[in-house]
Amino acid sequence: MKVLVTGAAGFIGFHVCSRLLERGDEVVGVDNLNSYYEVSLKQARLQQLARFSRFRFIKADIAERTAMAELFESERFDRVVHLAAQAGVRYSLENPHAYADSNLVGFLNILEGCRHSAVEHLVYASSSSVYGSNETMPFSVHDNVDHPVSLYAATKKANELMAHAYSHLYQLPVTGLRFFTVYGPWGRPDMSPFLFVRAILEGTPLKVFNHGRHRRDFTYIDDIVEGVVRVLDRPAAPNADWSGLQPDPATARAPYRVYNIGNSEPVELLAYIELIEKALGKTTEKILLPLQPGDVEHTYADVSDLERDVGYRPQMPIAEGIERFVAWYRDFYRA
């Protein structure tokens, strides 16, 4: 297949591109290489992808309507994996307009491109953040998610609604994936595993929010990629049993699906930090702080739908996943 991967220089995008290229697909990667975190890491990921002759990189911003329209018109993609977004819950408190530009305007441009070029299947990134104030555990895609607690989460919920509208109007097969705290080699420097490893190695105190009582469904990158590729290969189909009298949020009369993609084994944050310290052979001071605005206290993915439909089963034990991430970090940063 010829596949467009947006956010190709990002953490998940890089790994998805690698997997698709390894199995023989042609991949066009798009990324604007913004400075939300260190651009050198994004460039290093792209250097890894450049080893494949079937990979081409195009620097572009998905929020640029003309550029995206021309891209879809000239390339004629079979399928699209849309991972480009302005990420980060806390940053959305500081720079909300970046989220409107990338996550709303940018996503609309991707939907329009898919519509006009008859893309066979659009798989896009949603987030576990959409669960917001929900307290029913584990989080189910069949539950209502109308109470986001950050603008980032609200934009991801909006993406799901926009995708449904396009699926309904144009019979565009769309599948949204709610990612749960992804970690692993080549990870994002703004996420907690990366921050913890860096701080412990430098011997600086760790800021641990919610007094370390957070429980997170940490999911290793290889498990995430396996799920993404399996979903990409299975275009969304209408749910013949869907009823407007008892509407199921995860399916529709249109070719529309939403799935959780997580490890389904939450770990308390302090326990996670202890595993990192064990892997590093080093400890550091911890500053326990209250819950931060916009944070969800606990995440826990019900992945039964993804398991039933595509055979998804996370494989990586948390301790081994942390060891692999630490080994990559030490090698990449010579730490």
Side-chain angles (χ1 to χ4, degrees):
M1 296 187 296
K2 185 176 185 180
V3 184
L4 168 65
V5 178
T6 69
F11 174 32
I12 301 175
F14 159 69
H15 284 280
V16 169
C17 286
S18 298
R19 176 65 183 278
L20 294 174
L21 291 162
E22 286 165 0
R23 75 173 193 174
D25 291 329
E26 178 185 355
V27 177
V28 176
V30 166
D31 202 294
N32 67 355
L33 298 179
N34 68 28
S35 58
Y36 172 64
Y37 62 80
E38 56 198 69
V39 176
S40 60
L41 177 58
K42 299 178 182 182
Q43 292 170 332
R45 294 178 185 137
L46 290 175
Q47 287 174 2
Q48 296 292 312
L49 295 176
R51 298 175 300 163
F52 295 92
S53 61
R54 294 180 306 280
F55 177 74
R56 285 185 294 122
F57 175 68
I58 298 173
K59 184 179 180 182
D61 192 329
I62 59 169
E64 296 176 358
R65 185 194 307 181
T66 301
M68 288 300 101
E70 292 175 351
L71 175 71
F72 277 90
E73 175 63 27
S74 63
E75 296 288 349
R76 313 305 295 184
F77 302 109
D78 296 310
R79 299 185 185 181
V80 174
V81 182
H82 175 53
L83 302 170
Q86 179 56 62
V89 169
R90 291 174 193 145
Y91 186 62
S92 67
L93 305 178
E94 303 171 21
N95 190 3
H97 294 287
Y99 292 76
D101 293 340
S102 182
N103 300 5
L104 300 179
V105 175
F107 189 59
L108 176 60
N109 291 337
I110 297 299
L111 287 169
E112 278 288 281
C114 291
R115 165 199 171 191
H116 288 293
S117 58
V119 165
E120 298 168 0
H121 191 198
L122 165 63
V123 176
Y124 65 94
S126 185
S127 169
S128 61
S129 296
V130 301
Y131 287 101
S133 297
N134 286 29
E135 295 181 359
T136 302
M137 297 287 171
F139 290 150
S140 170
V141 290
H142 303 288
D143 292 340
N144 180 281
V145 289
D146 284 344
H147 297 87
V149 295
S150 69
L151 178 64
Y152 168 69
T155 64
K156 288 300 184 178
K157 168 64 175 177
N159 286 171
E160 295 179 3
L161 297 175
M162 295 162 71
H164 178 267
Y166 268 69
S167 180
H168 170 78
L169 289 169
Y170 309 112
Q171 293 303 297
L172 172 66
V174 295
T175 302
L177 296 175
R178 293 174 179 169
F179 294 120
F180 280 70
T181 315
V182 189
Y183 75 101
W186 297 96
R188 271 177 34 207
D190 65 313
M191 295 188 69
S192 60
F194 211 109
L195 294 171
F196 293 156
V197 169
R198 178 168 287 176
I200 293 168
L201 284 173
E202 293 175 351
T204 57
L206 280 181
K207 291 182 178 180
V208 183
F209 296 107
N210 199 33
H211 304 280
R213 293 194 296 266
H214 277 325
R215 292 171 69 242
R216 286 288 180 266
D217 204 343
F218 293 100
T219 313
Y220 191 70
I221 184 62
D222 289 2
D223 290 327
I224 289 287
V225 171
E226 181 66 26
V228 171
V229 173
R230 288 184 181 224
V231 166
L232 181 66
D233 290 344
R234 187 181 185 276
N239 178 2
D241 298 323
W242 195 89
S243 169
L245 296 175
Q246 292 182 315
D248 172 19
T251 65
R253 292 193 183 101
Y256 170 89
R257 284 289 188 279
V258 173
Y259 293 109
N260 287 333
I261 182 164
N263 196 49
S264 204
E265 290 187 7
V267 176
E268 190 172 76
L269 194 58
L270 280 176
Y272 190 81
I273 294 171
E274 288 174 6
L275 288 171
I276 292 176
E277 289 177 327
K278 182 179 179 181
L280 289 169
K282 187 177 181 182
T283 61
T284 194
E285 178 189 355
K286 299 166 190 67
I287 302 173
L288 302 182
L289 298 169
L291 187 71
Q292 296 295 287
D295 276 1
V296 175
E297 190 167 7
H298 306 301
T299 66
Y300 180 2
D302 176 351
V303 297
S304 56
D305 282 26
L306 198 59
E307 180 178 349
R308 179 197 66 219
D309 290 351
V310 302
Y312 172 79
R313 291 182 183 85
Q315 302 293 318
M316 182 60 68
I318 190 77
E320 183 180 346
I322 289 172
E323 289 174 358
R324 292 189 182 193
F325 172 62
V326 166
W328 169 81
Y329 185 99
R330 283 189 182 278
D331 178 66
F332 186 78
Y333 288 102
R334 300 293 186 265

